[in-house]
Amino acid sequence: MQSQPQKRVNALIELLKTMDKIHLKDAAQLLAVSEMTIRRDLNHLPTSLTVLGGYIVNQARHSIATYFVSDQQDKQVKEKLHIAKLVSQLVSENDTIFFDCGTTMPFIIDAIDDQIAFTAICYSFNAFLALQHKPNCKIILCGGNYHIDNAIFTSINQHNQLDSICPNKAFISAAGIDFKQGVTCYNFDELSMKHKAIQKSSTNILIADHTKFNQVKPALIGDLSLFNLVITDKAPKSQYLAYFKENNIGLMY
């Protein structure tokens, strides 16, 4: 006899035989359960389905089994949901916002009020997919060469769309935060867009859950002092609190 989680997964498998993808919110409504329940089902049961950019897709059908973002999508979900709620409150009418890559971004985008009209600049596939679900969002996708490991696009020449835009806010993700070594990530391919967004944005907002503190990854984004605000899910250790105060960096958790 099939369990209820398996029945839900099987229903989604059958559904995705007739469509390319289904948004997580729509799937939850269809199956009369929460989005968290569906994420838990997909994470705990053997299945080719995964959540990418707020959509449920079939990995085999889309050849996305090697995505770095796919590996991380269902980790620290509770923390990402908490952070997303905080960050989404910073989105205001007529904002122009740069959305970085990373698996927290779709959670943030999903949490933004659908009534708010804003412009989004992105260069990652998962952020782009999630932004499509926002009815009052104007999306600017910075295209170019596609990198399958972290699902981002990088420019193939010296110019990209961000050169002509000045965002008033930039949501920057990180895989490591260290008050001495600075803010870091895994992939060097991400650095040019992160650096450009930080340089051009009026307000730079660093987004990372508590597991990223005291971590140092290979690619240096920059010093912590580059950021106006840090948003996480738990209060960091006292050395970070002192650094934030000394450098006039805001903190939300």
Side-chain angles (χ1 to χ4, degrees):
M1 184 177 178
Q2 288 185 341
S3 64
Q4 288 301 318
Q6 188 63 62
K7 287 181 180 179
R8 289 191 290 267
V9 170
N10 289 344
L12 291 171
I13 291 172
E14 290 300 314
L15 187 64
L16 287 172
K17 288 180 180 179
T18 62
M19 60 176 62
D20 190 56
K21 61 184 182 293
I22 181 171
H23 198 275
L24 185 61
K25 288 181 179 178
D26 297 333
Q29 184 176 8
L30 184 67
L31 297 174
V33 293
S34 68
E35 294 177 34
M36 180 67 79
T37 295
I38 294 180
R39 286 187 181 276
R40 191 178 299 114
D41 291 345
L42 299 180
N43 197 35
H44 292 168
L45 294 175
T47 178
S48 62
L49 304 186
T50 190
V51 179
L52 180 65
Y55 288 84
I56 301 171
V57 298
N58 192 313
Q59 290 186 111
R61 187 173 178 181
H62 290 265
S63 300
I64 59 173
T66 58
Y67 279 6
F68 169 78
V69 291
S70 180
D71 293 339
Q72 301 296 320
Q73 188 74 36
D74 293 312
K75 296 182 179 180
Q76 280 85 48
V77 170
K78 182 179 179 181
E79 291 86 348
K80 290 172 182 175
L81 287 169
H82 178 72
I83 291 170
K85 184 177 180 180
L86 294 176
V87 179
S88 67
Q89 296 171 5
L90 301 179
V91 179
S92 302
E93 192 78 10
N94 298 319
D95 271 347
T96 299
I97 302 173
F98 173 83
F99 290 86
D100 201 359
C101 60
T103 55
T104 304
M105 290 299 151
F107 289 85
I108 293 170
I109 294 164
D110 284 346
I112 297 171
D113 188 338
D114 286 347
Q115 302 304 311
I116 297 175
F118 66 101
T119 298
I121 308 107
C122 66
Y123 69 113
S124 69
F125 186 54
N126 60 337
F128 175 71
L129 286 176
L131 286 164
Q132 288 186 97
H133 207 64
K134 296 285 113 176
N136 292 305
C137 176
K138 178 181 179 181
I139 308 170
I140 300 172
L141 175 63
C142 300
N145 185 37
Y146 181 63
H147 301 260
I148 196 170
D149 57 343
N150 51 353
I152 66 169
F153 297 89
T154 57
S155 178
I156 58 175
N157 52 43
Q158 294 183 344
H159 176 79
N160 69 50
Q161 286 79 4
L162 193 54
D163 291 329
S164 304
I165 307 169
C166 293
N168 64 308
K169 293 168 187 168
F171 297 153
I172 306 295
S173 61
I177 300 175
D178 184 270
F179 75 99
K180 290 183 178 179
Q181 297 291 340
V183 182
T184 53
C185 63
Y186 286 99
N187 293 291
F188 292 96
D189 294 331
E190 301 171 11
L191 290 180
S192 61
M193 287 297 289
K194 290 178 188 286
H195 290 165
K196 190 178 291 292
I198 291 170
Q199 179 184 10
K200 302 203 69 178
S201 176
S202 301
T203 303
N204 294 311
I205 300 165
L206 179 61
I207 297 164
D209 66 69
H210 72 278
T211 65
K212 307 304 190 297
F213 285 86
N214 294 324
Q215 298 289 323
V216 179
K217 303 306 176 187
L220 178 64
I221 299 170
D223 194 84
L224 260 171
S225 61
L226 291 171
F227 297 91
N228 306 100
L229 176 65
V230 176
I231 301 181
T232 185
D233 60 299
K234 292 182 180 179
K237 293 183 178 179
S238 58
Q239 58 190 2
Y240 290 98
L241 297 177
Y243 182 93
F244 294 157
K245 183 177 180 180
E246 181 181 347
N247 289 275
N248 198 29
I249 300 170
L251 174 66
M252 289 178 64
Y253 60 89

